[in-house]
């Protein structure tokens, strides 16, 4: 559905005012759903649906979404529809609503906030793609065996991995689990057997995927709930443990022996480990991804991000399917910087990290927004995100870049893994620090769209793991700083002098110095 049709839709319904108004996303959705698509588009969609009966994905395809330098990754909406109602008018209505909501997402608060941080040489242009959804039906639900995101640069290499070996995040079911930063399995395609987050049985049980997303294709309402998980259903692994995808990627936990068996065919709790894929290579995922990343890097002249899904075949005579859903370039900062400290810098170090994303020196940050350690509670992460958003608005209005510090995985859609901020909540951030502690000790989420935008904007992302001997953060140095704003969970302070932040992009190490 071309950008010309989008422009025609906007003009016919007099909708361009939404770009200027300070409307909420929900208000924008209601305005667009009340509008009418061009009649010629409705006619084409009806003809299309008369010939197509499989589930559909309705997603954005914009000019800036895959821009090389500042891609608007994951900022626009995608929707899934079952497309199997016996009444074609109902199917047409569902498809039309999905298209209008993709159009609406052009004017959401997140893209608006993101655009203020970047310069683009041309204006946005929105189109919509309607395509067959990858997956297989299992009972009342439709989903692929697993989906994932692969990046040709590994910003958190482990053991003898190199940054250029890449990193992959995979999850059972729809890819929403991965791109939203929920629990997924992270591995290097060159060394798929090395799984840091799965090094101990307790860690496997804690870090493994417990839920997944699927499209309901039976017993769904005529008026699909597009605003809740984009019409996808969140299912528990337990209710799907007898379905073929779970059988293919699950191991069994034997509590009496406190061990895992790399097979589904035992009595016990099913745990998503992907052992059959990564250890026993029943599907050559790592090899395929290595080849595609190599081809993509060569073709695009630099590092790439790949979105993919896989349908494993239950019929041994039929091959399984790998679907390359999308490939886009990702950006890197320029030349590498080594950490070189003189005596003055050495005595003023307040933070050291051996897991850092970024490269170079930043000496412009005076404002710091942090989650108060003594007040933090996991059950209040949504409230914390709201408070950060309020302080962010103040700093953005003052045109002040700031450092954001807090526990867990920033930008996660799962509030129990971290603070679920969106771009509108942190649009003025310059540096992000993730603290791993006993309450929130989760693996990093470099496969999410949130993380992709951090790398594209060149925002430094520093992880301080208190279990790593060399890593530390000295909170006490902030006690004398001037408090500018304070809420129940969050504090904004301003330093007399700018911090000195240096990141070695080659070694993924960083230090932060603070001067009185």
């Amino acid at each position: 559905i071309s950008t010309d049709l989008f422009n025609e839709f906007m003009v016919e319904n007099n909708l361009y005012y939404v770009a200027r108004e300070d409307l909420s996303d929900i208000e924008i959705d209601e305005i667009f759903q009340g509008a009418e698509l061009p009649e010629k588009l409705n006619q084409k969609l009806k003809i299309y649906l008369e010939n197509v009966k499989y589930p559909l994905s309705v997603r954005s395809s914009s000019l800036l979404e895959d821009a090389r330098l500042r891609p608007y990754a994951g900022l626009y909406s995608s929707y899934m529809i079952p497309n199997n109602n016996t009444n074609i008018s109902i199917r047409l209505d569902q498809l039309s609503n999905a298209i209008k909501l993709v159009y609406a997402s052009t004017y959401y608060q997140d893209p608006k906030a993101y655009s203020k941080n970047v310069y683009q040489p041309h204006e946005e242009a929105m189109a919509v793609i309607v395509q067959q959804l990858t997956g297989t039906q299992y009972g009342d639900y439709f989903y692929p065996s697993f989906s994932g995101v692969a990046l040709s640069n590994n910003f958190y290499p482990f053991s003898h991995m190199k940054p250029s070996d890449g990193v992959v995040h995979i999850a059972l079911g729809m890819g929403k689990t991965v791109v939203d930063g929920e629990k997924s399995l992270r591995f290097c395609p060159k060394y798929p057997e090395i799984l840091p987050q799965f090094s101990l049985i307790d860690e496997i049980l804690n870090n493994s995927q417990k839920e997944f997303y699927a499209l309901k294709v039976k017993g769904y309402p005529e008026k699909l709930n597009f605003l809740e998980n984009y019409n996808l259903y969140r299912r528990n692994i337990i209710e799907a443990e007898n379905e073929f995808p779970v059988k293919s990627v699950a191991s069994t936990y034997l509590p009496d022996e406190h061990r895992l068996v790399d097979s589904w065919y035992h009595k016990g709790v099913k745990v998503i480990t992907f052992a059959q894929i990564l250890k026993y290579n029943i599907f050559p995922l790592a090899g395929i991804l290595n080849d595609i990343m190599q081809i993509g890097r060569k073709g695009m002249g630099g590092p790439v991000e790949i979105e993919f899904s896989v349908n494993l075949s239950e019929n041994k005579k039929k091959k399984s399917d790998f679907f390359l859903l999308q490939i886009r370039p990702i950006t890197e900062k320029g030349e590498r910087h080594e950490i070189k400290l003189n005596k003055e810098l050495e005595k003023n170090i307040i933070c050291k990290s051996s897991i850092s994303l970024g490269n170079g020196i930043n000496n412009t940050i005076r404002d710091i927004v942090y989650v108060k350690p003594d007040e933090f509670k996991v059950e209040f992460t949504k409230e914390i995100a709201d408070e950060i958003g309020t302080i962010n608005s103040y700093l953005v209005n003052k045109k002040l870049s700031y450092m954001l510090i807090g526990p867990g995985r920033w930008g996660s859609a799962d509030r129990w893994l971290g603070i679920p901020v969106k771009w509108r909540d942190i649009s003025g951030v310059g540096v992000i620090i993730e603290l791993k502690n006993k309450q929130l000790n989760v693996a990093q989420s470099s496969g999410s769209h949130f993380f992709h935008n951090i790398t594209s904007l060149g925002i430094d992302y520093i992880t301080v793991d208190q279990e790593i001997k060399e890593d530390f953060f000295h909170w006490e140095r902030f006690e004398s700083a001037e408090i500018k704003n304070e809420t129940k969970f969050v504090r904004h302070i301003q330093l007399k002098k700018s911090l000195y932040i240096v990141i070695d992009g080659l070694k993924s190490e960083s230090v932060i110095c603070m001067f009185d």
Side-chain angles (χ1 to χ4, degrees):
I1 301 172
S2 69
T3 55
D4 290 339
L5 281 169
F6 170 60
N7 292 333
E8 184 178 332
F9 167 76
M10 295 294 290
V11 170
E12 284 186 1
N13 293 278
N14 192 27
L15 290 176
Y16 277 112
Y17 74 91
V18 298
R20 300 187 298 271
E21 298 284 346
D22 187 20
L23 299 169
S24 70
D25 293 352
I26 293 176
E27 290 171 324
I28 291 172
D29 282 338
E30 290 174 349
I31 291 168
F32 273 72
Q33 284 186 302
E36 295 293 333
L37 292 178
E39 182 55 32
K40 61 182 177 183
L41 175 56
N42 272 323
Q43 292 174 359
K44 290 181 178 180
L45 291 176
K46 186 175 181 180
I47 294 171
Y48 175 71
L49 293 179
E50 286 172 348
N51 294 277
V52 169
K53 301 291 180 16
Y54 44 70
L56 297 173
S57 171
V58 183
R59 63 183 183 86
S60 61
S61 179
S62 82
L63 191 63
L64 298 182
E65 201 165 15
D66 297 324
R68 176 173 288 275
L69 294 179
R70 294 290 186 266
Y72 283 45
L75 294 180
Y76 302 129
S77 297
S78 297
Y79 297 92
M80 319 298 179
I81 57 177
N83 189 38
N84 62 355
N85 197 289
T86 54
N87 187 334
I88 194 170
S89 296
I90 292 174
R91 289 197 287 136
L92 179 60
D93 184 59
Q94 292 170 350
L95 178 57
S96 299
N97 277 334
I99 292 168
K100 286 186 281 189
L101 287 171
V102 173
Y103 282 161
S105 66
T106 314
Y107 302 98
Y108 282 178
Q109 292 300 316
D110 280 352
K112 287 178 182 178
Y114 187 79
S115 64
K116 292 177 182 178
N117 281 359
V118 301
Y119 164 74
Q120 293 290 0
H122 40 68
E123 293 185 356
E124 179 65 298
M126 176 63 77
V128 173
I129 293 178
V130 180
Q131 63 185 166
Q132 181 175 357
L133 187 62
T134 62
T136 302
Q137 184 171 337
Y138 301 97
D140 293 348
Y141 296 91
F142 183 94
Y143 60 96
S145 299
F146 58 89
S147 305
V149 174
L151 294 94
S152 57
N153 271 3
N154 184 359
F155 299 116
Y156 294 107
F158 182 83
S159 183
H160 46 274
M161 302 172 190
K162 298 177 181 178
S164 59
D165 291 334
V167 65
V168 182
H169 286 253
I170 55 174
L172 176 75
M174 298 290 188
K176 179 176 169 62
T177 301
V178 174
V179 299
D180 277 359
E182 299 183 36
K183 284 187 177 179
S184 60
L185 179 60
R186 179 177 186 264
F187 71 95
C188 172
K190 193 168 182 179
Y191 305 100
E193 72 283 358
I194 300 177
L195 302 174
Q197 72 196 85
F198 276 11
S199 56
L200 299 172
I201 295 295
D202 288 338
E203 290 180 350
I204 296 173
L205 297 176
N206 183 52
N207 293 324
S208 63
Q209 185 181 359
K210 306 295 189 301
E211 297 175 311
F212 69 102
Y213 290 98
L215 175 67
K216 194 169 186 179
V217 292
K218 286 185 179 180
Y220 57 88
E222 291 182 5
K223 293 291 183 182
L224 297 177
N225 187 5
F226 285 116
L227 303 184
E228 181 66 30
N229 291 331
Y230 303 97
N231 194 42
L232 296 179
Y233 281 72
R234 193 169 185 162
R235 303 182 65 199
N236 194 289
I237 300 297
I238 295 173
E239 71 175 82
E241 67 177 27
N242 291 315
E243 294 172 9
F244 179 70
V246 177
K247 292 181 179 180
S248 302
V249 301
S251 298
T252 304
Y253 173 62
L254 307 179
D256 292 341
E257 303 175 38
H258 193 51
R259 70 183 181 96
L260 279 168
V261 179
D262 291 333
S263 171
W264 177 89
Y265 296 96
H266 288 76
K267 289 184 178 180
V269 178
K270 307 309 173 189
V271 182
I272 304 301
T273 63
F274 290 93
Q276 299 298 320
I277 307 293
L278 302 181
K279 282 187 181 182
Y280 305 110
N281 205 33
I282 65 166
F283 181 83
L285 179 65
I288 292 172
L289 292 174
N290 277 321
D291 289 346
I292 292 177
M293 285 195 290
Q294 184 177 354
I295 295 169
R297 184 184 281 272
K298 183 177 180 181
M300 293 190 170
V304 295
E305 178 192 76
I306 299 161
E307 293 183 23
F308 64 91
S309 66
V310 172
N311 276 343
L312 297 174
S313 175
E314 198 165 358
N315 183 351
K316 293 182 179 180
K317 295 181 179 180
K318 183 178 179 296
K319 290 185 177 181
S320 299
D321 297 316
F322 177 93
F323 296 92
L324 178 59
L325 304 178
Q326 185 166 266
I327 182 168
R328 62 160 66 93
I330 54 176
T331 55
E332 293 180 295
K333 287 188 176 180
E335 62 183 78
R336 305 291 184 182
H337 284 73
E338 293 184 34
I339 297 175
K340 297 179 180 179
L341 302 174
N342 56 32
K343 290 184 179 179
E344 179 69 14
L345 294 174
E346 282 278 5
K347 70 178 183 180
N348 286 292
I349 295 176
I350 64 166
C351 175
K352 263 191 178 183
S353 167
S354 55
I355 311 173
S356 303
L357 167 58
N359 183 58
I361 297 171
N362 185 338
N363 55 6
T364 64
I365 301 292
R366 288 181 59 208
D367 290 87
I368 300 177
V369 177
Y370 65 91
V371 180
K372 293 183 281 189
D374 295 339
E375 297 291 337
F376 175 75
K377 292 182 175 61
V378 177
E379 57 267 32
F380 293 112
T381 51
K382 284 186 177 180
E383 290 80 359
I384 294 171
D386 292 338
E387 292 183 5
I388 290 170
T390 300
I391 294 176
N392 175 78
S393 297
Y394 167 81
L395 288 164
V396 169
N397 289 334
K398 295 286 185 179
K399 297 184 178 179
L400 295 172
S401 181
Y402 64 92
M403 173 184 285
L404 179 63
I405 308 170
R409 183 183 291 173
W410 285 105
S412 172
D414 189 339
R415 61 179 298 183
W416 303 103
L417 299 181
I419 300 169
V421 290
K422 296 183 180 294
W423 276 110
R424 73 195 77 170
D425 302 319
I426 62 166
S427 57
V429 74
V431 179
I432 297 176
I433 295 183
E434 170 187 308
L435 301 175
K436 298 179 70 174
N437 57 27
K438 291 181 180 179
Q439 288 192 67
L440 284 176
N441 187 14
V442 296
Q444 294 82 9
S445 181
S446 60
S448 68
H449 281 312
F450 178 89
F451 221 89
H452 180 83
N453 288 329
I454 286 172
T455 64
S456 300
L457 288 172
I459 295 171
D460 297 328
Y461 195 98
I462 296 169
T463 300
V464 179
D465 188 344
Q466 297 175 357
E467 293 186 0
I468 297 177
K469 185 178 180 180
E470 294 79 11
D471 285 15
F472 63 82
F473 192 98
H474 293 320
W475 284 103
E476 66 275 9
R477 292 293 300 275
F478 287 164
E479 291 177 357
S480 60
E482 179 186 2
I483 298 175
K484 303 293 288 187
N485 289 297
E486 188 164 14
T487 61
K488 182 177 180 180
F489 299 104
V490 182
R491 182 176 291 142
H492 165 212
I493 61 174
Q494 190 173 76
L495 307 177
K496 294 178 181 179
K497 296 181 180 179
S498 297
L499 294 170
Y500 177 84
I501 306 164
V502 57
I503 299 179
D504 183 335
L506 187 62
K507 296 181 180 179
S508 299
E509 297 175 350
S510 67
V511 297
I512 301 174
C513 301
M514 176 179 166
F515 306 97
D516 296 328

